[in-house]
């Protein structure tokens, strides 16, 4: 989900209000918002490629590198994109782009520090469609043999969609918070602030979501409670409007 852009108005509203409006409301408010036509990840790749092709490796390029990273372009993918572009946009342009990309992706080498005692795990690609932002999953048990326990780690601002754990008998989930700070919210109730050591009990049939705070990584163990006819129903995303209103 695209973040509302205000850069145009912040920098140029007094000098060029129409340009500021077109930048914030049309380019970022309308064109970038057409995710049904082209994903934010692909739009970021196209934009980064176009800027390198024009030799515009400046602050705007850095902004779009950061956006690409936030929209799911991994360090490995970005390195391959820049290598491919080098043969068409010019070697000097690629060198300049690599220098900036190394800075933007520098924190990726520190990701293994997150995830708490159990470690980060792998990118949660199987469930990525039900999350905003990047998350990581590390199974700790085999749910076919015993109770399912998974270490779930959220990058800052990442959260899962509203969802319901269903069961005809028993079921539900328990969250054991092990690192960082996050949020848990049930439908119709205020969001609950979470930190390491907190425990959340989620009965079957309750609509809810959980994820990281805006400025913190967050990890919890998700314990799947035994039950009959258990399943998950994934619902709508937690909008930026709702998420950004949460108070620390």
């Amino acid at each position: 989900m695209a973040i509302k852009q205000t850069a145009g108005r912040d920098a140029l509203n007094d000098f060029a209000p129409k340009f500021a409006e077109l930048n914030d409301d049309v380019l970022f408010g309308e064109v970038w918002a057409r995710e049904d036509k082209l994903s934010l990840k692909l739009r970021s790749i196209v934009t980064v490629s176009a800027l390198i092709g024009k030799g515009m490796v400046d602050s705007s390029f850095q902004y779009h590198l950061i956006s690409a990273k936030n929209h799911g372009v991994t360090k490995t993918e970005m390195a391959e994109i820049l290598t491919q572009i080098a043969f068409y946009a010019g070697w000097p342009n690629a060198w300049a782009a690599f220098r900036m990309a190394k800075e933007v992706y520098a924190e990726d080498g520190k990701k293994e520090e997150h995830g708490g005692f159990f470690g980060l795990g792998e990118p949660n690609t199987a469930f990525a469609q039900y999350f905003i932002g990047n998350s990581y999953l590390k199974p700790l048990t085999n749910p076919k043999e015993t109770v399912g326990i998974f270490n779930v780690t959220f990058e800052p601002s990442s959260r899962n969609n509203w969802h319901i754990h269903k069961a005809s008998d028993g079921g539900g989930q328990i969250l054991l918070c092990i690192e960082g700070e996050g949020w848990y919210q049930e439908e119709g109730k205020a969001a609950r602030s979470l930190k390491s050591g907190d425990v959340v009990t989620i009965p079957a049939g309750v609509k809810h979501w959980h994820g990281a705070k805006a400025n913190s990584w967050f990890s919890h163990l998700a314990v799947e409670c035994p039950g009959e006819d258990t399943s998950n129903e994934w619902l709508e995303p937690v909008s930026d409007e709702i998420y950004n209103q949460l108070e620390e």
Side-chain angles (χ1 to χ4, degrees), residues 137-152 165 172-176 220-227 230:
L137 186 66
K138 186 170 186 178
L140 303 180
T141 63
N142 185 343
K144 295 181 180 180
E145 298 177 353
T146 182
V147 174
I149 304 176
F150 304 85
N151 189 25
V152 185
H165 302 294
Q173 189 179 65
I174 298 172
L175 307 181
L176 306 175
H220 64 58
L221 301 186
V223 182
E224 305 295 334
C225 301
T230 58

Side-chain angles (χ1 to χ4, degrees), residues 20-34:
E21 175 191 339
L22 292 172
N23 182 83
D24 295 350
D25 299 344
V26 178
L27 174 57
F28 288 97
E30 295 181 15
V31 177
W32 277 82
R34 298 170 65 204

Side-chain angles (χ1 to χ4, degrees), residues 215-238:
N215 298 312
S216 176
W217 286 70
F218 178 58
S219 296
H220 64 58
L221 301 186
V223 182
E224 305 295 334
C225 301
E228 298 294 329
D229 304 316
T230 58
S231 64
N232 282 352
E233 180 182 4
W234 291 100
L235 303 167
E236 71 275 13
V238 179

Side-chain angles (χ1 to χ4, degrees), residues 28-133:
F28 288 97
E30 295 181 15
V31 177
W32 277 82
R34 298 170 65 204
E35 296 181 54
D36 59 322
K37 302 295 190 297
L38 195 67
S39 71
L40 289 174
K41 180 176 180 179
L42 285 176
R43 288 188 189 277
S44 287
I45 291 172
V46 170
T47 305
V48 165
S49 302
L51 290 174
I52 296 174
K54 294 177 69 67
M56 296 178 62
V57 188
D58 55 8
S59 59
S60 63
F61 178 70
Q62 183 181 41
Y63 168 81
H64 284 291
L65 273 177
I66 294 171
S67 294
K69 180 181 177 182
N70 291 338
H71 294 152
V73 180
T74 67
K75 179 180 178 180
T76 300
E77 288 173 333
M78 182 56 70
E80 193 63 24
I81 289 167
L82 299 185
T83 300
Q84 178 78 12
I85 291 173
F87 288 91
Y88 298 90
W91 221 250
N93 288 352
W95 266 107
F98 270 119
R99 282 194 290 271
M100 196 168 286
K102 282 182 65 178
E103 294 179 5
V104 169
Y105 283 86
E107 290 298 314
D108 278 19
K110 300 179 181 179
K111 282 182 178 178
E112 286 299 339
E113 297 175 7
H114 298 287
F117 179 82
F118 297 99
L120 186 65
E122 299 297 328
N124 191 12
T125 54
F127 293 89
Q129 61 183 311
Y130 306 122
F131 283 69
I132 290 176

Side-chain angles (χ1 to χ4, degrees), residues 11-25:
L12 294 171
N13 199 48
D14 293 338
F15 185 78
K18 188 60 180 180
F19 180 89
E21 175 191 339
L22 292 172
N23 182 83
D24 295 350
D25 299 344

Side-chain angles (χ1 to χ4, degrees), residues 167-243:
S168 59
D169 184 53
Q173 189 179 65
I174 298 172
L175 307 181
L176 306 175
C177 306
I178 61 173
E179 184 196 46
E181 295 188 29
W183 295 108
Y184 169 78
Q185 185 174 25
E186 295 181 1
E187 186 178 38
K189 296 183 180 180
R192 175 183 168 187
S193 177
L194 301 176
K195 63 182 184 304
S196 180
D198 286 340
V199 177
V200 180
T201 301
I202 309 169
V206 174
K207 183 178 178 181
H208 65 284
W209 68 271
H210 36 104
K213 289 189 176 180
N215 298 312
S216 176
W217 286 70
F218 178 58
S219 296
H220 64 58
L221 301 186
V223 182
E224 305 295 334
C225 301
E228 298 294 329
D229 304 316
T230 58
S231 64
N232 282 352
E233 180 182 4
W234 291 100
L235 303 167
E236 71 275 13
V238 179
S239 68
D240 287 342
E241 181 180 6
I242 292 175
Y243 182 82

